[in-house]
Amino acid sequence: GQNIDQPTEMTATEGAIVQINCTYQTSGFNGLFWYQQHAGEAPTFLSYNVLDGLEEKGRFSSFLSRSKGYSYLLLKELQMKDSASYLCAVVDSNYQLIWGAGTKLIIKP
Amino acid sequence: DTAVSQTPKYLVTQMGNDKSIKCEQNLGHDTMYWYKQDSKKFLKIMFSYNNKELIINETVPNRFSPKSPDKAHLNLHINSLELGDSAVYFCASSQGGVVTGELFFGEGSRLTVL
C-alpha cells in the first residue's frame, strides 16, 4: 500500500526553527509537495521538490532525498501566524497525489 | 477575485436527503478536483476532471456524482446522504491534467449529516 508518515503534532517557540519530517512509501515518485493549512481554511501551496536537495523560499525550505523516501520542511524565525497544519503529498507513478494526514504545528510565545 | 470559489460553505442536512455543492474557478485551469477531508484530516481524492475526461476514484460510492457544465465549473451532487458523508469537501484546480503544478483550493464546504 501507499503510505505517507508525518508527526501528528509539534510545538515550537516564536523566533525558533522547526523541522517537520515526512517519509513516504509510494508506487513510483513524481514529486513531493508541502502545503500549509490554517484551521478552517483551504490548503495553500508552499513548495514542490522533484530532485534531491534543498529548495529555499524565504523563511521556508524543503529538502528531498528520493533514495531515502524522505523530505522535511524547515521553518525559520517562527511567527505566531505559522501555527497551522503542514501537509506532505507525493505524486505517485499514476500521477495521483497521495496525502499525509498533516502535522499540526503549535507556536508558543 | 476569489480564484476557486465553492458554495455553500456550510451545509447541515438530514440523512437520506440529496444535496449539491458548486465550484467555480476563474484561473483558466483545465483540470478540477473534488477532495474529501475527514475528521482525521486526510485529504482523499474523489474525482478529477480534465476538460475532456472524468476520472472517477473507485472507492467513491456512486451516490456521489460530479457534473461539469464547462471547464470552469465542477459541481458535486450527493444522493441519499449518510452520516459518514459528514466531512469538509474541497474543490481544487490545476493547470494541466497531470499534477506537476500547484493545486489551488477553494475554501471548503463543511457538510454535516444529522
Side-chain angles (χ1 to χ4, degrees):
Chain A
Q2 310 211 81
N3 200 45
I4 309 273
D5 283 318
Q6 307 177 233
T8 304
E9 187 174 298
M10 298 181 71
T11 302
T13 305
E14 191 177 15
I17 299 173
V18 71
Q19 177 175 311
I20 302 174
N21 296 325
C22 171
T23 57
Y24 61 89
Q25 294 172 311
T26 56
S27 56
F29 178 85
N30 283 297
L32 184 145
F33 289 87
W34 282 97
Y35 278 79
Q36 180 189 60
Q37 186 177 23
H38 285 102
E41 297 183 10
T44 54
F45 171 83
L46 287 178
S47 67
Y48 173 67
N49 294 67
V50 66
L51 299 176
D52 289 350
L54 187 67
E55 296 273 346
E56 297 186 73
K57 193 186 291 186
R59 294 189 298 115
F60 292 9
S61 303
S62 56
F63 172 82
L64 174 68
S65 169
R66 288 172 296 170
S67 63
K68 295 181 179 178
Y70 167 70
S71 173
Y72 67 72
L73 181 69
L74 191 71
L75 291 76
K76 301 177 185 175
E77 300 169 17
L78 285 168
Q79 301 174 10
M80 297 304 292
K81 67 178 182 179
D82 297 331
S83 292
S85 287
Y86 292 85
L87 309 174
C88 174
V90 172
V91 185
D92 70 8
S93 57
N94 293 319
Y95 292 96
Q96 296 297 316
L97 259 182
I98 312 300
W99 293 83
T103 298
K104 182 178 180 180
L105 178 62
I106 299 168
I107 309 296
K108 295 187 174 179
Chain B
D1 278 350
T2 303
V4 181
S5 59
Q6 48 183 115
T7 55
K9 194 168 182 179
Y10 298 96
L11 189 55
V12 180
T13 190
Q14 300 289 326
M15 267 197 313
N17 285 348
D18 303 338
K19 291 294 178 186
S20 293
I21 307 172
K22 296 184 177 181
C23 179
E24 176 182 4
Q25 55 96 2
N26 62 7
L27 297 167
H29 290 165
D30 53 17
T31 305
M32 296 184 72
Y33 311 82
W34 276 109
Y35 278 90
K36 178 180 180 181
Q37 189 172 43
D38 60 23
S39 57
K40 294 183 180 179
K41 303 304 180 186
F42 278 105
L43 271 167
K44 297 178 182 176
I45 182 71
M46 299 178 70
F47 304 102
S48 61
Y49 199 105
N50 178 302
N51 215 14
K52 304 171 187 176
E53 185 181 354
L54 175 65
I55 300 168
I56 298 174
N57 185 316
E58 294 177 1
T59 63
V60 178
N62 57 15
R63 298 182 294 103
F64 290 79
S65 55
K67 287 184 173 47
S68 180
D70 54 61
K71 79 171 194 176
H73 296 83
L74 183 63
N75 304 324
L76 182 65
H77 189 75
I78 316 169
N79 289 326
S80 303
L81 279 158
E82 300 178 356
L83 293 177
D85 297 333
S86 295
V88 181
Y89 292 85
F90 285 101
C91 177
S93 72
S94 68
Q95 184 56 40
V98 169
V99 183
T100 54
E102 179 180 349
L103 279 178
F104 290 81
F105 285 86
E107 291 184 336
S109 297
R110 182 174 293 276
L111 172 66
T112 303
V113 182
L114 302 175

